[in-house]
Amino acid sequence: MTDDTKSQDTPTWGPMRSFGRIKARTLKPRQASLFDSLLPQIVLDDARVARIVADPRSEYADATEVWLEIGFGGGEHMAAQAGRHPHALIMGGEPFLNGVGSALRHIDEAGLNNVRLLAGDVRPLIDQLPDGFIERIFIMFPDPWPKARHHKRRFIQPETIAAFARILKDGGRVRFATDWADYADWTLERFLKSPDFLWPAEGQAAWNTPPADHVTTRYEEKKLGDCAPVFFDFVRKPR
């Protein structure tokens, strides 16, 4: 059975914990209250995922595309993209609860109604999605796991890329950004080995210059990595 024909009910993943802690400081009172008031309205539980899969417009009437952000951090990028692209229903997954609280605040302040959140590991959500369902995937500055013994915990693995290929529409895109040189090399090597993706970059500026629709976040501005930010846009080949 190929990756393209694999049923969405078939587990894709081996054992991997690609994220670290799930909570740091105590949530601010406003963020804590949004967990009780806003999150239940937009949480990606099984019922809501099934509804979106059946017809995204039943969940969000203006939806012409469905996007996915994996590890949305504080939610700044996701919220800004949702505001700029009201035709897109954006699903986001993030296991770090303080990040979820921050994302809820951004969603609430902007009055967004085209974002749905998963406070947890995004991989089971990916397994629930049908083939060719997603238009865009964002993986923005994921945990680099820089030590060699931890590389197995990096989110970008061959099975991850195969899962992206399954759920993306033909011509759909994966955007990956990092400010760690080794993770950039790691990611590029694995995507170039995939038979399902193209990398249409031309010249160094294609990956060293932020894309026109990129949203810079406070995390990116901290420059915690060991190189300037690198941006890769990979395109799903026609089946």
Side-chain angles (χ1 to χ4, degrees):
M1 180 179 293
T2 67
D3 291 313
D4 283 342
T5 59
K6 186 182 295 182
S7 166
Q8 62 263 33
D9 296 326
T10 303
T12 301
W13 320 97
M16 176 177 69
R17 182 181 170 94
S18 59
F19 49 89
R21 59 186 181 173
I22 61 172
K23 189 176 181 181
R25 62 189 181 279
T26 301
L27 291 171
K28 296 177 181 179
R30 183 183 175 196
Q31 294 181 0
S33 69
L34 289 171
F35 267 86
D36 295 329
S37 60
L38 179 57
L39 184 59
Q41 301 177 42
I42 62 174
V43 67
L44 285 166
D45 55 19
D46 288 344
R48 179 164 280 116
V49 173
R51 186 161 60 246
I52 293 171
V53 165
D55 181 1
R57 292 169 299 180
S58 69
E59 177 67 22
Y60 173 60
D62 294 332
T64 60
E65 298 181 1
V66 182
W67 297 4
L68 174 65
E69 181 154 346
I70 297 170
F72 55 71
E76 293 170 87
H77 176 272
M78 179 177 58
Q81 293 287 3
R84 293 178 179 181
H85 302 280
H87 69 287
L89 174 60
I90 301 182
M91 301 188 295
E94 171 60 58
F96 188 49
L97 296 183
N98 297 84
V100 176
S102 174
L104 289 169
R105 179 177 61 82
H106 287 299
I107 293 166
D108 184 57
E109 289 179 349
L112 300 171
N113 57 6
N114 60 329
V115 181
R116 302 294 181 269
L117 298 186
L118 173 67
D121 187 348
V122 76
R123 293 173 297 164
L125 169 62
I126 291 175
D127 283 336
Q128 291 177 275
L129 300 178
D131 297 0
F133 185 70
I134 297 292
E135 194 78 32
R136 299 191 69 179
I137 296 173
F138 295 94
I139 309 153
M140 310 302 294
F141 301 94
D143 194 320
W145 296 107
K147 295 181 180 179
R149 68 176 184 272
H150 293 153
H151 285 180
K152 62 186 178 181
R153 299 180 71 173
R154 287 176 168 173
F155 192 81
I156 300 300
Q157 303 288 345
E159 62 267 28
T160 314
I161 295 170
F164 295 162
R166 184 185 68 77
I167 66 173
L168 276 171
K169 294 181 178 180
D170 291 354
R173 290 176 288 162
V174 177
R175 175 168 297 164
F176 175 90
T178 185
D179 52 3
W180 287 86
D182 179 67
Y183 203 3
D185 292 342
W186 167 284
T187 298
L188 184 58
E189 177 185 0
R190 282 153 182 77
F191 267 95
L192 290 178
K193 286 182 178 179
S194 169
D196 299 313
F197 285 95
L198 298 169
W199 184 44
E202 296 182 2
Q204 187 172 349
W207 62 89
N208 282 344
T209 303
D213 63 345
H214 174 60
V215 177
T216 301
T217 65
R218 286 178 296 174
Y219 174 85
E220 182 181 343
E221 291 174 341
K222 291 178 181 178
K223 300 181 179 179
L224 299 176
D226 62 2
C227 70
V230 174
F231 302 88
F232 296 138
D233 274 358
F234 302 104
V235 180
R236 194 0 169 147
K237 292 180 181 179
R239 289 167 172 82

